[in-house]
Amino acid sequence: MFMPDLFQFTSEAVSEGHPDKVCDQISDAVLDGVLALDSKAHVACETLATTDFVALAGEITAKGGLPDCDTLVRRVVAGIGYDRVNEGFNASTLKLENRLHGQSPDIAQGVNSETSMSGEQGAGDQGIMFGYACDETPALMPAPVYYSKMILKRLSQLRRQGGEYSFLRPDAKSQLTFTYKHGKPVAIDHIVVSHQHTDGSIDKVHALVKMVLKEVLPAEFLTGIDFDHENVRGGNLYINPTGSFVTGGPDGDTGVTGRKIIVDTYGGAGRHGGGAFSGKDPSKVDRSACYMLRYIAKNLVAAGVAKRCEIQVAYAIGVTDPLAFNVNFFGTGKVSEEAVLPLLVGPNRIFDCRPAQISEYLGLLKPQGWSYEETAAYGPFGWEQFPWEKTDRVADVRKALAL
């Protein structure tokens, strides 16, 4: 893949209070609740949220039954921060419509190990999935999306402190444009941050956002940003550029599960197969395979095999073994892409991408020290608490490739 010596790349991020992210967190909280009752349950939970209303829909097959979804939804919404009585989306007053029902037996028979043709767990659907890693940040994530999320995570931390920061409300978005030279990020060209706030507090928002930008973003990237002239036509810093942002969250814009798939992954820097994550149990390779491919790509980059790595896998519904792999180092590899394929297929593979093996290796059926709800807030990639972010196979990779 050709990359020019000088180019710009932009990624965005959204906070946990964005309406689509509210829905992602509710769907994943339902998943957490079901798996706690039955670790082998099959779950596909979709959520819609609008003004003081949440609807659940989808398919769940679980021997342990369902959790108390009414209590669960209100806990998630309140935990995000939508708990003020004078706002249009409130944990205590919202109406919940629950339309969850059982999974299609036609799908279940190919996925369950007891009924599949191979006698092993098959993929929960056909499809293509991607994993990606690069050496642009300590987390081995692309710089634009990683730092966009860091801005919002810091603002969320301050909002949750309350007190002098109680003017901040949960809904927010950020966007960064980086300049790259010879494949490396060297400067931030434009910053856009929009944050929901209480009426009459816009000046406080401007001051706080600028403080957080200087705190979170590496100083060497900020040399060209004009902090004294935000929202100026032709400028490069925009904070709430439309003016006030008082009505937000599901009261301002309807949210739906699965509409932030690029935000949840690599901000567009790596390709995406199209499947969303939230509300799906690990038999759905839309989710579990993407986690595994991120794990593989990150270990390859951490091992020094390449500076950038993208891996694609393809599955057929009900079939255990992946159909195909593609590895791309974008010209940055110390070895060829073909040399890496034996690590993924064949008798000497060190990464096993069969659905059941992914779930077992990453602990996806019984999460320890993390939850699916956590993955939905700022995406699953780049945060150390998740098992697919470990770089514990570096020595194995280097040995296998004689590095």
Side-chain angles (χ1 to χ4, degrees):
M1 180 179 177
F2 172 75
M3 292 181 63
D5 288 339
L6 181 67
F7 67 95
Q8 292 181 327
F9 195 83
T10 305
S11 295
E12 71 159 346
V14 299
S15 72
E16 75 266 32
H18 184 280
D20 294 328
K21 282 282 124 198
V22 171
C23 294
D24 287 344
Q25 289 165 93
I26 291 173
S27 291
D28 272 340
V30 171
L31 172 62
D32 285 325
V34 174
L35 291 180
L37 298 171
D38 178 5
S39 64
K40 295 184 178 180
H42 292 301
V43 181
C45 177
E46 310 289 345
T47 303
L48 178 146
T50 186
T51 302
D52 249 4
F53 179 81
V54 170
L56 302 179
E59 302 78 44
I60 296 179
T61 300
K63 294 179 181 178
L66 298 181
D68 180 350
C69 289
D70 186 86
T71 299
L72 181 151
V73 168
R74 297 182 195 279
R75 175 193 63 76
V76 173
V77 171
I80 292 170
Y82 291 114
D83 55 359
R84 297 186 181 179
V85 295
N86 60 336
E87 295 178 338
F89 188 71
N90 180 279
S92 62
T93 59
L94 67 82
K95 178 182 178 182
L96 175 65
E97 184 83 12
N98 188 344
R99 294 298 181 92
L100 295 168
H101 59 84
Q103 184 186 40
S104 162
D106 297 328
I107 295 175
Q109 70 179 351
V111 175
N112 295 331
S113 60
E114 297 84 358
T115 55
S116 70
M117 290 185 294
S118 66
E120 296 182 68
Q121 178 183 323
D125 202 353
Q126 73 172 50
I128 58 172
M129 296 86 204
F130 291 90
Y132 183 83
C134 61
D135 65 355
E136 296 176 14
T137 63
L140 303 186
M141 286 288 287
V145 70
Y146 177 74
Y147 287 115
S148 291
K149 291 182 179 183
M150 292 297 288
I151 293 166
L152 297 181
K153 289 192 78 171
R154 180 55 179 154
L155 286 165
S156 177
Q157 290 172 350
L158 295 174
R159 172 177 64 85
R160 290 173 181 278
Q161 291 180 19
E164 64 179 308
Y165 304 117
S166 60
F167 63 90
L168 291 178
R169 300 305 296 130
D171 196 357
K173 300 180 76 172
S174 63
Q175 181 175 289
L176 296 178
T177 299
F178 272 78
T179 288
Y180 284 74
K181 288 185 179 179
H182 307 296
K184 291 184 175 293
V186 296
I188 296 174
D189 289 276
H190 290 87
I191 301 174
V192 184
V193 179
S194 294
H195 207 299
Q196 185 187 10
H197 59 94
T198 58
D199 195 17
S201 61
I202 186 63
D203 291 340
K204 293 181 180 179
V205 173
H206 280 251
L208 182 59
V209 168
K210 287 192 283 187
M211 183 192 80
V212 167
L213 293 175
K214 293 176 182 179
E215 175 188 338
V216 169
L217 300 176
E220 62 267 27
F221 291 150
L222 293 175
T223 56
I225 299 297
D226 187 354
F227 283 95
D228 295 324
H229 299 90
E230 68 267 28
N231 296 1
V232 175
R233 185 175 181 180
N236 56 17
L237 174 60
Y238 295 88
I239 301 172
N240 284 32
T242 62
S244 64
F245 180 12
V246 174
T247 302
D251 186 35
D253 188 12
T254 297
V256 179
T257 300
R259 289 203 299 198
K260 287 294 175 284
I261 59 176
I262 300 303
V263 170
D264 277 348
T265 51
Y266 310 104
R271 284 175 283 195
H272 199 295
F277 299 152
S278 292
K280 298 178 181 178
D281 74 85
S283 73
K284 280 74 171 175
V285 283
D286 275 343
R287 178 170 223 158
S288 56
C290 286
Y291 289 3
M292 189 64 177
L293 294 179
R294 163 65 178 169
Y295 174 70
I296 299 169
K298 187 172 182 181
N299 274 270
L300 291 174
V301 172
V305 177
K307 292 181 178 296
R308 296 175 63 203
C309 175
E310 181 184 77
I311 306 175
Q312 182 199 51
V313 67
Y315 291 93
I317 188 170
V319 177
T320 300
D321 292 307
L323 305 183
F325 287 96
N326 178 267
V327 180
N328 191 345
F329 292 151
F330 304 93
T332 69
K334 290 185 178 180
V335 301
S336 69
E337 285 87 349
E338 291 78 10
V340 172
L341 288 176
L343 277 62
L344 310 177
V345 297
N348 296 319
R349 65 188 171 192
I350 63 175
F351 298 108
D352 194 336
C353 290
R354 290 176 292 171
Q357 282 69 26
I358 292 174
S359 292
E360 181 179 0
Y361 186 79
L362 296 179
L364 301 183
L365 294 177
K366 296 180 178 179
Q368 300 292 322
W370 61 278
S371 69
Y372 285 103
E373 184 182 341
E374 288 180 77
T375 71
Y378 290 94
F381 304 138
W383 319 119
E384 293 182 356
Q385 70 266 35
F386 301 130
W388 49 89
E389 291 296 310
K390 295 180 180 178
T391 52
D392 54 357
R393 302 305 298 273
V394 166
D396 296 330
V397 168
R398 293 185 65 83
K399 180 179 178 181
L401 297 175
L403 293 177

